[in-house]
Amino acid sequence: MHLAYPAVLAVLLFSVGLFGVLARRNAILVLMSVELMLNAVNLNLVAFDVWLRDTLHAGQALTLFTIAIAAAEIGIGLAIVLSVYRNRGTSDVDRLRDTVEGPDDTPDAADATALENKAEAAA
């Protein structure tokens, strides 16, 4: 078997995963895309291990570690996504940016007028 076949498949899988990470807004789909990228790396590790005929099978052993780390990552990631969804009501990655507080968080004019309207309505 030529090394090019699994390598091309791994490049395609990695590219689809990278597109999913960059283009998706849903956090669960982003996690799935990261898993797709990790599986492309695992495919490369196993393919090169077979191609080099390594007697210790280091590529396959490293693949098992990568699978274990990916399982832990998806477990923690899903727990975080579910927690955020319960608190915020959405898992949209773009809408979660407003939870980050920077050093220059000043309310803009729209927020100031909204606060004034709420204060007038309460009074």
Side-chain angles (χ1 to χ4, degrees):
M1 178 174 80
H2 294 287
L3 183 62
Y5 298 132
V8 168
L9 180 62
V11 166
L12 291 174
L13 283 174
F14 194 86
S15 299
V16 169
L18 185 64
F19 175 75
V21 167
L22 296 177
R24 296 292 177 188
R25 292 184 178 169
N26 191 350
I28 294 174
L29 292 177
V30 170
L31 287 174
M32 288 174 55
S33 298
V34 168
E35 291 295 320
L36 196 61
M37 291 167 56
L38 284 172
N39 284 331
V41 170
N42 288 339
L43 180 62
N44 265 338
L45 285 171
V46 171
F48 276 98
D49 184 55
V50 170
W51 184 65
L52 293 173
R53 295 187 176 110
D54 187 15
T55 57
L56 295 176
H57 299 293
Q60 294 178 19
L62 190 58
T63 299
L64 290 175
F65 286 119
T66 308
I67 289 171
I69 289 172
E73 175 257 334
I74 201 69
I76 292 171
L78 280 176
I80 291 170
V81 168
L82 287 175
S83 174
V84 167
Y85 182 76
R86 285 181 185 163
N87 290 333
R88 307 284 287 170
T90 184
S91 63
D92 188 5
V93 176
D94 290 335
R95 297 182 113 203
L96 297 177
R97 289 186 187 163
D98 61 353
T99 60
V100 177
E101 294 179 359
D104 58 345
D105 284 338
T106 57
D108 52 350
D111 290 338
T113 56
L115 289 174
E116 289 173 8
N117 291 338
K118 284 183 183 179
E120 289 176 6

